[in-house]
């Protein structure tokens, strides 16, 4: 008897695919690329918020974009209407994030249609995340997120730290722990970076790349730079990322009061070759976050051959420290300053080679794609067939 197994088709639901949203967007796009290499068809459903009119994402028919009607919860009712009509096209719905209309509606509609759901919280129920706007989070969790998580076929977590935090919620639900795929940063051109920013030539550059947001704890990084400036006139801080003007001005005022405003370069959001060039010029990468459920930016920096200084609540900190590519500390000024001085001594002629090999071996799309493909196929066994 002859039969044909139909290719699996998965819908990834996420509130935004805008590059400025940082690691969450990158992790989902990397995962989709890895899954397609495993012959799994992937489509996305997302808000068109913050996407440029000519963004490549808009041109891909596999990306379904919906306009929001409210900033609160990224409410986009047209997504719910669309998914009710089309959900049965998909073998599985993979929901990314929480505390937003997209994961709530995506989960409910898929379950009502009998389609399995995987939920990746992206750190949104970690201890620190739940303490941010605690009253609203508690109310929302009781009304919506608890049922999203309890109704999941599997909850996907990305690190041991996130798994431990999730366990404290007391939910009886199957979980799995798989890191995200990370695309290594291509070799950059430091000279190109210095032509653009000549004031940083011959300086020891400490780089931060990520959202300019209070969770990233840039206040303590500025405090650390203030301490380092008393010991050396050669250290500069490169901050790459986007955020609100109000918060960025708060940070700039802090630096000016500490007398180090001229030692910080605010480069804005960087991507692609500009990101690679910046890392090629940097001597150390710092991620002092209060909490990170994964820490993709740190792994990308390691792939570029840069040692890392990490806050102890960055989920990948233990792994990178054990592998010899970073230092993890309590993210306060004095500790960060001492760790930066230590990390600046890490690099040797073999560091870049060892770092890139580690990232390829541990976080490559080939490795992670195979793990997710196996999970999807196990959930959907037996596969749909046609005769």
């Amino acid at each position: 008897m002859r039969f044909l197994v139909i290719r699996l088709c998965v819908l990834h639901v996420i509130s935004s695919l805008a590059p400025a949203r940082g690691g969450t967007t990158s992790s989902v796009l990397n995962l989709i690329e890895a899954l397609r290499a495993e012959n799994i068809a992937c489509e996305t459903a997302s808000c068109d918020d913050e996407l440029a009119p000519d963004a490549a994402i808009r041109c891909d028919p596999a990306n379904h974009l919906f306009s929001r009607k409210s900033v609160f919860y990224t409410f986009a009712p047209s997504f719910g209407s669309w998914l009710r009509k089309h959900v049965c096209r998909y073998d599985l719905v993979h929901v990314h994030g929480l505390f937003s209309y997209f994961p709530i509606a995506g989960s409910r509609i898929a379950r009502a249609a009998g389609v399995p759901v995987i939920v990746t919280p992206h750190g949104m129920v970690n201890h620190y995340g739940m303490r941010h706007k605690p009253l609203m989070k508690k109310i929302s969790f009781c009304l919506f997120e608890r049922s999203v998580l309890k109704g999941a076929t599997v909850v996907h977590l990305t690190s041991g730290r996130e798994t431990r935090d999730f366990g404290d919620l007391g939910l009886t639900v199957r979980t799995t722990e798989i890191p995200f795929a990370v695309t290594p940063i291509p070799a950059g051109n430091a000279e190109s970076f210095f032509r653009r920013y000549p004031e940083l030539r011959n300086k020891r550059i400490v780089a931060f790349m990520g959202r300019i947001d209070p969770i990233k704890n840039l206040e303590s990084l500025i405090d650390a730079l203030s301490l380092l400036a008393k010991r050396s006139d050669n250290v500069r801080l490169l901050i790459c990322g986007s955020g609100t003007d109000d918060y960025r001005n708060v940070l700039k005022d802090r630096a000016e009061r500490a007398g180090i405003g001229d030692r910080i370069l605010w480069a804005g959001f960087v991507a692609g070759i500009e990101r690679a060039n910046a890392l090629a010029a940097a001597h150390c990468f710092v991620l002092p976050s209060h909490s990170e459920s994964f820490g993709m930016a740190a792994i990308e920096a390691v792939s570029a051959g840069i040692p890392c200084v990490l806050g102890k609540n960055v989920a990948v900190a233990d792994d990178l420290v054990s592998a010899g590519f970073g230092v993890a500390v309590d993210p306060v000024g004095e500790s960060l300053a001492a760790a930066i001085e230590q990390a600046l001594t890490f690099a040797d002629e073999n560091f870049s080679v060892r770092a890139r090999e580690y990232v390829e071996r541990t976080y490559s799309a080939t490795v992670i794609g195979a793990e997710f493909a196996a999970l999807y196929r196990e959930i959907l066994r037996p596969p749909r067939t046609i005769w």
Side-chain angles (χ1 to χ4, degrees):
M1 183 177 295
R2 299 171 61 187
F3 66 92
L4 174 67
V5 178
I6 298 178
R7 185 185 186 193
L8 299 181
C9 186
V10 178
L11 179 68
H12 292 266
V13 176
I14 180 172
S15 296
S16 175
L17 284 172
R21 292 297 182 97
T24 300
T25 293
S26 298
S27 63
V28 173
L29 294 177
N30 287 349
L31 173 58
I32 289 172
E33 182 179 354
L35 289 168
R36 286 172 176 166
E38 290 288 328
N39 199 35
I40 294 176
C42 293
E43 299 180 15
T44 67
S46 179
C47 179
D48 64 0
D49 182 37
E50 292 187 272
L51 285 173
D54 59 347
I57 287 173
R58 293 184 182 275
C59 303
D60 187 342
N63 297 321
H64 308 281
L65 301 173
F66 304 89
S67 297
R68 72 180 185 189
K69 298 300 182 183
S70 168
V71 174
F72 184 69
Y73 267 62
T74 319
F75 182 56
S78 58
F79 162 65
S81 302
W82 174 86
L83 187 58
R84 289 185 184 93
K85 295 178 182 177
H86 299 285
V87 66
C88 291
R89 290 170 41 200
Y90 302 101
D91 298 288
L92 185 148
V93 171
H94 192 152
V95 168
H96 297 271
L98 295 168
F99 301 104
S100 170
Y101 175 74
F102 279 86
I104 294 169
S107 172
R108 285 187 171 182
I109 293 169
R111 283 161 38 207
V115 177
V117 177
I118 292 180
V119 177
T120 300
H122 290 271
M124 292 184 181
V125 288
N126 285 9
H127 291 162
Y128 181 89
M130 291 297 286
R131 290 198 299 268
H132 180 60
K133 298 181 180 178
L135 180 59
M136 187 187 80
K137 288 281 180 71
K138 287 180 181 178
I139 294 172
S140 181
F141 189 82
C142 290
L143 292 175
F144 305 115
E145 279 70 31
R146 181 181 293 275
S147 64
V148 169
L149 293 166
K150 290 188 70 173
T153 306
V154 178
V155 174
H156 161 236
L157 306 167
T158 60
S159 67
R161 183 174 297 278
E162 187 179 25
T163 298
R164 291 192 293 274
D165 281 4
F166 184 82
D168 291 340
L169 294 175
L171 300 178
T172 303
V173 59
R174 178 186 170 187
T175 63
T176 189
E177 188 179 310
I178 306 174
F180 281 121
V182 178
T183 301
I185 297 294
N189 187 323
E191 182 57 32
S192 177
F193 176 84
F194 290 129
R195 283 197 298 270
R196 183 170 184 178
Y197 301 109
E199 66 271 30
L200 294 187
R201 190 183 292 274
N202 299 321
K203 303 300 183 182
R204 302 287 278 177
I205 300 173
V206 176
F208 166 86
M209 294 184 178
R211 286 181 298 121
I212 310 301
D213 184 271
I215 196 173
K216 302 298 182 179
N217 189 28
L218 290 174
E219 292 87 349
S220 289
L221 182 51
I222 290 170
D223 294 346
L225 179 64
S226 178
L227 294 171
L228 291 169
K230 297 175 182 178
R231 305 168 197 171
S232 171
D233 187 46
N234 205 37
V235 179
R236 296 294 184 270
L237 176 58
L238 172 65
I239 297 181
C240 302
S242 59
T244 66
D245 290 340
D246 287 346
Y247 182 57
R248 188 164 46 247
N249 289 335
V250 167
L251 296 173
K252 288 182 177 181
D253 288 344
R254 189 185 189 96
E256 291 294 338
R257 289 196 304 272
I260 56 170
D262 60 344
R263 295 171 185 249
I264 302 176
L265 174 63
W266 299 83
F269 177 74
V270 297
I273 191 62
E274 289 185 4
R275 187 180 184 90
N277 291 344
L279 287 173
H283 299 86
C284 172
F285 179 87
V286 183
L287 188 62
S289 304
H290 291 299
S291 178
E292 293 278 350
S293 63
F294 188 50
M296 179 171 289
I299 300 170
E300 289 177 337
V302 169
S303 78
I306 310 298
C308 292
V309 172
L310 307 171
K312 63 183 182 180
N313 289 324
V314 174
V316 297
D318 292 343
D319 293 335
L320 293 182
V321 170
S322 296
F325 301 118
V327 182
V329 295
D330 189 27
V332 295
E334 289 188 7
S335 299
L336 286 171
I340 289 169
E341 289 181 318
Q342 181 182 352
L344 288 173
T345 69
F346 273 30
D348 57 40
E349 60 184 16
N350 295 318
F351 186 93
S352 294
V353 174
R354 292 187 292 107
R356 195 171 188 89
E357 289 177 348
Y358 169 79
V359 173
E360 289 279 3
R361 184 173 63 251
T362 311
Y363 301 105
S364 72
T366 301
V367 171
I368 303 306
E371 289 193 50
F372 270 102
L375 174 65
Y376 287 0
R377 289 175 176 132
E378 184 231 318
I379 290 171
L380 297 169
R381 187 180 296 128
R384 289 186 303 154
T385 59
I386 58 175
W387 301 90

